[in-house]
């Protein structure tokens, strides 16, 4: 079984729950275990919220892209924006962006949450253009008698 979809979303707060609901609906329909669906939906929400907040210069038509692949036993999600990306010269490169936030901080936990909820995470800048790309994947578990379970 293989399912994929891609969304081109405006950088508005209302786009975050839209992407999350589409992912949850897709996984529910396919028969993915609800705990796995929840983890991935929270990770997707964090990546989308980062794209909305940091993903561009707020010019007309500013958007970001969400792509999700359910392929066999794996779900891979990618969120790409047109913002400044991550500074390559920072110690540790783009991966350094996922360092823990201070306990009293009101923001800055999104990339750390994604790392905790997914099995594999890649954080970087879009090759050959401006923007950040956050991709993550997770091994899927299936509900008993799932309609679209991988064979």
């Amino acid at each position: 079984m293989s399912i994929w979809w891609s969304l081109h979303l405006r950088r508005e707060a209302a786009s975050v729950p839209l992407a999350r609901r589409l992912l949850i609906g897709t996984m529910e329909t396919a028969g993915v275990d609800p705990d796995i669906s929840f983890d991935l939906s929270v990770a997707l929400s964090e990546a989308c919220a980062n794209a909305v907040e940091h993903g561009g210069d707020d010019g007309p038509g500013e958007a970001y892209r969400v792509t999700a692949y359910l392929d066999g036993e794996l779900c891979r999600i990618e969120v790409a924006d047109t913002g400044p990306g991550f500074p390559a010269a920072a110690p540790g490169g783009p991966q350094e962006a996922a360092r823990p936030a201070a306990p009293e901080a009101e923001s800055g936990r999104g990339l750390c949450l994604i790392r905790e909820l997914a099995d594999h995470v890649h954080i970087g800048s879009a090759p050959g253009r401006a923007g950040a790309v956050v991709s993550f994947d997770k091994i899927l578990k299936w509900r008993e008698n799932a309609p679209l379970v991988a064979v």
Side-chain angles (χ1 to χ4, degrees):
M1 185 264 316
S2 181
I3 299 171
W4 74 270
W5 50 259
S6 187
L7 300 171
H8 188 78
L9 299 167
R10 294 180 75 158
R11 285 186 45 241
E12 299 173 351
S15 69
V16 177
L18 173 66
R20 181 179 177 143
R21 283 192 297 265
L22 183 59
L23 179 66
I24 288 172
T26 300
M27 291 192 290
E28 184 178 295
T29 301
V32 174
D33 177 84
D35 291 336
I36 298 294
S37 296
F38 179 78
D39 287 353
L40 284 169
S41 71
V42 171
L44 174 62
S45 294
E46 293 296 333
C48 289
N50 282 346
V52 167
E53 185 173 345
H54 306 291
D57 60 9
D58 293 325
E62 283 294 320
Y64 67 102
R65 187 186 74 244
V66 176
T67 306
Y69 305 90
L70 278 77
D71 191 19
E73 296 291 323
L74 183 74
C75 178
R76 169 161 288 151
I77 297 170
E78 179 179 287
V79 177
D81 63 43
T82 58
F86 296 101
Q95 301 299 324
E96 187 70 19
R99 66 185 177 277
E104 67 279 356
E106 292 184 19
S107 64
R109 292 181 177 81
L111 294 175
C112 292
L113 268 172
I114 294 168
R115 284 198 182 284
E116 290 297 318
L117 295 169
D119 294 328
H120 178 262
V121 178
H122 180 267
I123 300 167
S125 295
R129 63 178 178 81
V133 178
V134 175
S135 65
F136 51 94
D137 57 52
K138 190 165 184 82
I139 301 294
L140 299 174
K141 289 192 267 184
W142 302 90
R143 294 188 322 252
E144 191 171 323
N145 299 321
L148 299 177
V149 70
V151 182

